[in-house]
Amino acid sequence: MEIVEILFTASFWAAAIRIASPLIFATLGEVICERAGVLNLGIEGIMVAGAFAGWMAVYSGTGLWVGVGVAMVVGMLFGLLHSALTVPFGLSQHVVGLGVTLLATSSTYYAYRLALPEVTSPPKIVAFQPFEISLLSEIPIVGEALFSQTPLTYLAFISVAVVAFILYRTPLGLAVRAAGENPNAVAAQGLSVTAIRMGAVIFGSGLMAVGGAFLTMSAFDSFFFEMVNGRGWICIALVVFGSWRPGKALLGAVLFAAFDALQIRVQQTSIGTAVPYQIFLMMPYILSILALVMMSRRAEIPAALMVPFNKGER
Amino acid sequence: MRLEPLTAPSIVRKVGFPIAALCGTVFIASMLAMLAGANPFSVLGLILKGAFGSQFALLETLNRATPLIFTGLAVAVAFRAKFWNIGAEAQLYAGALMTVLLGTGALPWPSIALLPLLALVAILAGALLLLVPAILKTRFGVDEVVTTLLFNFIFLLFISMLLEGPLKDPMGMGWPKSARLVQDARLPRIFESLRLHWGFGLALISAVGIWVIQTRSTLGYEMRAVGLNRQAAAFAGIPVNRVLLKTALLSGGLAALAGFSEVAGVKASLTLDLSPGYGYTGIIVAMLALLNPLGVVVAALFVAGIFVGADSMSRAANVPTYLADMMLAIALLLMVLAILLTRFRIVRD
């Protein structure tokens, strides 16, 4: 009974939207990469790097939005590295992706140790504060959940709309999607598959880093090791769950976050305390796998995903 | 630009690019160490000295290489068939779990019978754990990269649950730690006077065994065929799904041996920090070895050397230890690029 009551509180849905925000950014980034034909397993590490870069920038005295920009640029640099190796050279996207994750994670930790050699607990910054949109935020439950979030959350939702518009309504979006479906057709149009794919990976990686930055600049106000904790891998599952569509991916992220918010609350109920807490912590990962199993048959995977394109070769 | 395959790459190309990749790694690492205030010219020397400079250092490197040989083999076997097992970490813990379950006094057997049994049960556990993602892949077409990755998180939480529950050592002062293995479940040393256990021997034997399977058996041939071109393999009458399942069993079993060897050879009990990411590092080992099982041994020694050497260097020169992970990532990326350039030429158009 307690569980049903939880579902009707505004604070629960507000938490779900908050938990979903970093996932929305990163999933959107991965959707863009994969739509162009490149699987980006650098996502986990890029989120770590973004989380650190944005937070560190703000800690060193820049404004919050500049911090978001810094995170984005750092993510784009790792995207450049990833795409330079996987697109023109056509190297294994699995291996390069995992390599980028390892490099981004370790260089973040290295930079953290260099920047803050003496600290035992990481310093805090003044993070993004909730910004209530007047009138809208007064709608019961829905308004409180959706319109009393931090600006970064609004940006996440806006990004989905913008990316969806670009993907489906502009020539650029058509070129990106075609690069992931039929790169030969793109080349026949006189467009550069290499440029399109690299651009998509670089921009997508920037979004992933902003997703990471959400953790240190909005959800929390500090940087911890292991704070990304597999969220990037979950986003890879969310992309499949969302059938490579921005809107559906957003829906998947919110649904997933709702489950996550629910398990946190159930843990505190009488049922929850009787069950080992690890069971609850497992739930997000198990859910991701179940989602993959359910969606895998219906998923419309981009036809040229993970297929390198070498001009003049058929 | 585009890539043009070379029919007969010169020996300079074949040796030059990989060496350049290693030199590049050392160069970048030296620059990074300089950022931390160390003398860049001393970095390589300090790492080599720390990894191979004394008997103690060398044994430490060999011990550290042991689990990496197992996980490296696990990844190499799977990747050869293009089965992306990123879950060696979980399979390692599955092996460790079985070793602790049966090795802490449940079976009053002598060492000669108990150790093979423990190894076998560990292999089974790791194999079964990887069978789940493998079946999800062959049956439902679920990408194994994500499932094996997520399994790592799930299984570690499972281990954490056991260590705080039924497996918790009552004598453990409240730490989440299992009871200790009985003496008969401990792997003996290879030489009485040297701190090197038989897990290393088993790792070498496994590497040769896998090499034989890959080069001399039908299964090895089938795994390679499936990896090279799944459609063509199916067309040639190879049961692709069955080969993938067998690959998964073999790969999971190998990774589990890493857990068995770490528990029975080194730690004697199970804790949550048994593996500092040996499963993930196995991917680097396998790639540096070009998926060759004998190369895995060399690559594991190299990677273990970097870890041990960088540890000692970071103490000597006050550089954060994460430099070791960065070096490995850089080595991995440069090496895959170098290997490509040994076979292809870049043509401008």
Side-chain angles (χ1 to χ4, degrees):
Chain A
M1 235 38 288
E2 286 169 290
I3 297 172
V4 181
E5 279 166 32
I6 291 171
L7 286 176
F8 287 100
T9 58
S11 70
F12 165 74
W13 286 104
I17 299 287
R18 191 167 59 239
I19 295 170
S21 301
L23 303 176
I24 294 171
F25 278 119
T27 309
L28 193 61
E30 185 70 35
V31 165
I32 297 171
C33 297
E34 295 194 18
R35 269 300 174 129
V38 183
L39 172 74
N40 189 348
L41 290 183
I43 183 169
E44 178 83 7
I46 292 172
M47 287 181 81
V48 176
F52 173 74
W55 171 81
M56 193 67 214
V58 175
Y59 178 68
S60 335
T62 71
L64 282 167
W65 287 107
V66 177
V68 174
V70 169
M72 177 119 193
V73 169
V74 168
M76 289 169 89
L77 286 176
F78 281 111
L80 175 66
L81 173 68
H82 185 289
S83 60
L85 292 171
T86 52
V87 180
F89 289 112
L91 291 171
S92 159
Q93 294 174 10
H94 287 109
V95 175
V96 171
L98 294 168
V100 167
T101 280
L102 178 62
L103 181 65
T105 311
S106 55
S107 52
T108 298
Y109 292 173
Y110 191 71
Y112 177 88
R113 278 276 168 258
L114 287 189
L116 305 159
E118 301 298 325
V119 297
T120 43
S121 68
K124 291 180 188 307
I125 59 167
V126 180
F128 280 106
Q129 299 301 314
F131 177 82
E132 291 188 8
I133 300 178
S134 56
L135 292 179
L136 287 176
S137 64
E138 282 155 36
I139 307 168
I141 300 189
V142 180
E144 290 168 59
L146 271 177
F147 299 108
S148 310
Q149 299 284 351
T150 67
L152 268 186
T153 297
Y154 303 132
L155 182 66
F157 280 81
I158 294 167
S159 306
V160 172
V162 170
V163 168
F165 178 80
I166 293 175
L167 269 183
Y168 293 106
R169 294 277 184 274
T170 65
L172 174 66
L174 180 64
V176 169
R177 284 184 293 133
E181 296 287 348
N182 189 348
N184 278 314
V186 176
Q189 291 270 314
L191 297 169
S192 164
V193 177
T194 307
I196 293 169
R197 285 187 166 178
M198 286 186 72
V201 173
I202 292 169
F203 182 70
S205 302
L207 282 180
M208 294 169 191
V210 174
F214 183 92
L215 295 173
T216 49
M217 301 174 64
S218 188
F220 306 97
D221 51 10
S222 199
F223 176 82
F224 306 98
F225 286 24
E226 319 278 332
M227 86 184 299
V228 174
N229 201 13
R231 280 187 179 82
W233 310 133
I234 285 169
C235 290
I236 302 263
L238 284 174
V239 173
V240 182
F241 180 77
S243 306
W244 288 268
R245 288 165 187 275
K248 280 191 181 172
L250 169 93
L251 208 66
V254 173
L255 204 63
F256 176 88
F259 274 108
D260 205 19
L262 186 65
Q263 61 93 0
I264 296 169
R265 279 162 173 72
V266 172
Q267 271 190 60
Q268 287 142 13
T269 64
S270 50
I271 319 160
T273 43
V275 180
Y277 68 94
Q278 288 97 342
I279 297 278
F280 290 103
L281 294 181
M282 279 179 204
M283 286 321 241
Y285 307 113
I286 294 174
L287 271 177
S288 304
I289 292 177
L290 287 180
L292 279 180
V293 175
M294 283 189 317
M295 297 306 288
S296 58
R297 282 185 190 278
R298 290 194 284 142
E300 307 132 40
I301 182 166
L305 181 62
M306 292 188 274
V307 183
F309 178 76
N310 197 9
K311 200 158 51 182
E313 196 183 74
R314 290 155 67 70
Chain B
M1 64 166 259
R2 65 195 167 83
L3 300 170
E4 203 177 79
L6 294 161
T7 39
S10 69
I11 189 82
V12 179
R13 210 171 238 281
K14 275 172 129 171
V15 181
F17 276 111
I19 289 179
L22 288 181
C23 292
T25 306
V26 170
F27 174 77
I28 297 173
S30 305
M31 292 295 110
L32 288 167
M34 197 165 73
L35 282 181
N39 174 3
F41 300 102
S42 67
V43 169
L44 180 63
L46 282 173
I47 289 179
L48 288 176
K49 194 169 146 237
F52 307 105
S54 64
Q55 195 194 53
F56 178 82
L58 190 63
L59 285 172
E60 184 62 30
T61 302
L62 292 179
N63 269 317
R64 195 74 82 89
T66 304
L68 292 176
I69 297 176
F70 286 119
T71 54
L73 286 173
V75 173
V77 163
F79 279 25
R80 178 68 79 188
K82 292 233 167 68
F83 179 78
W84 307 103
N85 174 18
I86 323 286
E89 190 78 3
Q91 294 134 30
L92 180 154
Y93 275 97
L97 176 63
M98 287 304 152
T99 311
V100 169
L101 277 182
L102 296 179
T104 46
L107 295 173
W109 293 12
S111 173
I112 188 95
L114 185 56
L115 279 172
L117 178 87
L118 289 180
L120 210 67
V121 176
I123 292 175
L124 275 178
L128 285 179
L129 191 62
L130 188 52
L131 200 58
V132 180
I135 290 175
L136 287 180
K137 181 194 174 72
T138 54
R139 270 295 180 79
F140 300 98
V142 179
D143 185 36
E144 73 278 19
V145 174
V146 191
T147 46
T148 51
L149 262 169
L150 294 175
F151 261 63
N152 291 338
F153 290 87
I154 297 171
F155 204 77
L156 238 81
L157 285 164
F158 177 62
I159 296 278
S160 153
M161 194 171 90
L162 292 180
L163 288 180
E164 288 179 15
L167 279 188
K168 188 169 184 175
D169 181 10
M171 319 296 273
M173 321 277 269
W175 288 103
K177 179 172 172 294
S178 79
R180 284 179 72 81
L181 294 184
V182 294
Q183 197 51 43
D184 282 330
R186 305 290 306 274
L187 278 166
R189 289 178 174 186
I190 300 178
F191 306 104
E192 203 38 60
S193 56
L194 298 180
R195 208 175 52 83
L196 183 66
H197 60 88
W198 263 106
F200 184 70
L202 186 61
L204 293 184
I205 296 166
S206 306
V208 175
I210 295 300
W211 180 77
V212 171
I213 290 179
Q214 282 196 338
T215 54
R216 300 276 184 278
S217 78
T218 322
L219 177 63
Y221 167 77
E222 288 176 337
M223 289 195 300
R224 236 176 322 140
V226 168
L228 285 173
N229 188 334
R230 224 161 262 180
Q231 277 85 24
F235 190 69
I238 293 174
V240 172
N241 281 348
R242 214 180 314 156
V243 172
L244 282 177
L245 293 181
K246 283 183 198 164
T247 307
L249 290 173
L250 191 57
S251 173
L254 284 164
L257 277 179
F260 161 74
S261 138
E262 279 302 281
V263 171
V266 186
K267 299 282 169 64
S269 64
L270 178 58
T271 52
L272 267 184
D273 57 3
L274 176 73
S275 157
Y278 288 135
Y280 300 102
T281 313
I283 298 168
I284 299 174
V285 170
M287 290 315 297
L288 291 178
L290 309 180
L291 309 185
N292 178 319
L294 300 180
V296 162
V297 176
V298 181
L301 286 172
F302 170 78
V303 169
I306 287 191
F307 273 128
V308 175
D311 254 7
S312 100
M313 181 219 44
S314 81
R315 279 192 301 274
N318 199 20
V319 175
T321 43
Y322 298 106
L323 186 65
D325 296 289
M326 287 184 81
M327 277 183 81
L328 289 182
I330 295 164
L332 172 72
L333 293 175
L334 287 181
M335 195 54 96
V336 285
L337 182 62
I339 299 302
L340 178 89
L341 293 177
T342 59
R343 292 184 294 120
F344 289 89
R345 177 168 69 156
I346 299 172
V347 187
R348 301 197 64 120
D349 48 15

